Amino acid sequence: MTKPSIYLDYNATAPIRPEARDAVLRAFETAGNPSSVHASGRAARDIVETARKQVGELVGVVPGSVTFVSGGTEANALAIGSAAFAGFNRVIVSEGEHDAVLETAAASGLQVLKMPLDADGVARLDWLEEALSDEGRALVCLMLANNETGVIQPIAETSALVRAADGWLHVDAVQAAGKIAIDFTALGADTMALSAHKLGGPQGVGALVAGTRATIVRQQHGGGQERGRRAGTENVAGIAGFGAAAEAAARDLPSMANQGTWRDALAERVKAVGAVVLGEGAQERFGRLPQTLCLAAEGFASQIQVMNLDLAGVMVSAGSACSSGKVKASRVVDAMGRADLAPFALRVSGGWATTEQDWISCGDAWLAAYSRIGARRREVA
Ligand code: PLP
């Protein structure tokens, strides 16, 4: 029997959607630079502007609010750099933020304050309210959904606090986009980071969405591309793929609910043998991404789980995958007050091409590995 190949690591990167692949290939056939005035240049410009509209529609904004960049990391950096330029003197980041936000904030020269998470992985707004009452205008960075647990944050409530304090709210929506409906205006964010490869587009392209209260100041200098907000010839093919993926993701949003049903069925199976689902309590509050499961079983190390599942043909990850293949105890789980479970956290994440059978097979492989490890431990004892 051949080994199955089941990909359940969409939060690291999603497989490219056929619509996106086609759009990328078509764009490669266009030779022009979008800044050139001749016919080929205008064709390339059309590709970029079509994609800008598609990406804008995914999050409910007009195309002019979208600035294309090289990915989620650069989008976060552009927002934080712009706020620093605008005279904000401190940045408040939630403890659940991705390194792209945490490290950029640390390097920004602004004073950095860490907003704690509660046991469900939700940011502590009581803490934020108090912190905002201190002197000075603050940039607040709160992600829409966490990459490890899928926990959705109270962005609209945060926005009310940030606006009352005349602050700037930056939302990293890299993991949420294409998985849940997003209305930028209703959320009340000032800026929002998006990344193509998390929703079925190519890697190396993303966008910063900016509302009217935010002034984006370019962080790399050169030509006047992206209306002076981001210098450098546009990644036309990547942008084309991003646009097509965004349109397909918006179309497919209703079917994401199935992922939630299948994910929960797997959760019940692992809970029945004693595993814990992290962030589950957030479901009844602001929700969780439907396709993300963060589980932990004491004594079953993250790395051992990842290796055992890989041997069974199931690809998942331990916590955040952006740390160059390093498996370290989950910082997010730690921030939720479960340091005891941090070394055992496993992230299973599906997406647009994931079937019910994929979730079932993942459960079969996990339970088989768990009972093998348990049996071995009992033999040793
Ligand atoms: N923000 C979050 C929440 C992420 O999960 C990631 C990638 O894992 C990023 C930002 C970085 O995005 P990119 O890989 O496009 O730079």
Side-chain angles (χ1 to χ4, degrees):
M1 206 175 79
T2 54
K3 196 170 80 167
S5 180
I6 296 171
Y7 187 80
L8 284 167
D9 202 11
Y10 277 65
N11 288 10
T13 208
I16 193 146
R17 291 174 182 268
E19 299 88 343
R21 189 192 305 111
D22 290 350
V24 168
L25 294 176
R26 272 198 312 276
F28 276 138
E29 303 299 320
T30 309
N33 183 321
S35 299
S36 299
V37 291
H38 52 60
S40 283
R42 292 198 304 277
R45 169 61 53 205
D46 273 357
I47 292 174
V48 171
E49 297 314 320
T50 300
R52 201 185 304 282
K53 189 163 168 289
Q54 291 165 317
V55 171
E57 276 168 5
L58 180 68
V59 296
V61 298
V62 293
S65 307
V66 176
T67 300
F68 287 119
V69 294
S70 67
T73 301
E74 189 186 338
N76 284 319
L78 184 54
I80 294 171
S82 297
F85 188 86
F88 286 77
N89 63 353
R90 59 204 174 108
V91 50
I92 297 175
V93 291
S94 90
E95 284 189 339
E97 296 305 298
H98 189 270
D99 279 346
V101 167
L102 292 181
E103 297 288 321
T104 307
S108 68
L110 304 178
Q111 180 198 4
V112 181
L113 299 165
K114 297 258 175 84
M115 169 164 41
L117 304 180
D118 66 20
D120 291 333
V122 175
R124 291 253 320 272
L125 297 195
D126 56 327
W127 181 95
L128 177 65
E129 194 167 5
E130 208 176 312
L132 284 171
S133 67
D134 288 346
E135 226 21 49
R137 292 172 72 207
L139 162 68
V140 176
C141 297
L142 181 58
M143 65 203 328
L144 181 46
N146 183 265
N147 44 306
E148 293 185 41
T149 60
V151 168
I152 295 172
Q153 299 295 337
I155 300 296
E157 292 77 357
T158 304
S159 166
L161 297 176
V162 174
R163 288 196 176 202
D166 198 22
W168 174 321
L169 175 60
H170 172 64
V171 173
D172 178 342
V174 163
Q175 289 294 346
K179 297 170 186 162
I180 55 170
I182 298 179
D183 179 341
F184 178 79
T185 312
L187 288 176
D190 292 304
T191 44
M192 176 183 274
L194 304 173
S195 177
H197 74 106
K198 307 289 187 180
L199 51 84
Q203 296 168 337
V205 58
L208 183 68
V209 175
T212 48
R213 297 169 76 241
T215 302
I216 303 306
V217 179
R218 69 185 189 177
Q219 304 295 303
Q220 64 183 34
H221 302 279
Q225 290 90 351
E226 294 299 285
R227 297 198 294 164
R229 293 167 168 184
R230 202 267 185 180
T233 301
E234 296 88 340
N235 170 8
V236 177
I239 288 170
F242 186 11
E247 188 176 277
R251 179 201 63 207
D252 290 352
L253 270 180
S255 63
M256 269 290 164
N258 291 332
Q259 299 292 328
T261 308
W262 303 333
R263 183 267 319 264
D264 290 344
L266 167 55
E268 290 311 315
R269 293 178 72 194
V270 299
K271 276 169 24 182
V273 297
V276 172
V277 171
L278 291 143
E280 204 178 23
Q283 189 69 48
E284 301 306 318
R285 297 174 66 194
F286 306 99
R288 261 186 317 155
L289 295 179
Q291 44 59 262
T292 303
L293 177 66
C294 184
L295 63 94
E298 220 184 320
F300 196 10
S302 308
Q303 193 156 5
I304 303 291
Q305 296 181 66
V306 172
M307 280 170 5
N308 271 278
L309 289 182
D310 192 34
L311 288 172
V314 180
M315 290 166 271
V316 295
S317 82
S320 159
C322 293
S323 14
S324 322
K326 277 181 271 164
V327 174
K328 49 184 183 186
S330 165
R331 172 170 55 70
V332 176
V333 174
D334 197 356
M336 291 164 72
R338 294 305 307 257
D340 57 324
L341 291 179
F344 311 116
L346 186 77
R347 178 182 73 184
V348 184
S349 54
W352 67 269
T354 304
T355 63
E356 180 174 19
Q357 188 55 50
D358 291 339
W359 287 101
I360 293 171
S361 301
C362 175
D364 294 345
W366 190 90
L367 288 166
Y370 185 65
S371 72
R372 266 199 314 274
I373 302 286
R376 227 172 287 146
R377 226 185 288 127
R378 282 192 293 277
E379 272 164 29
V380 174

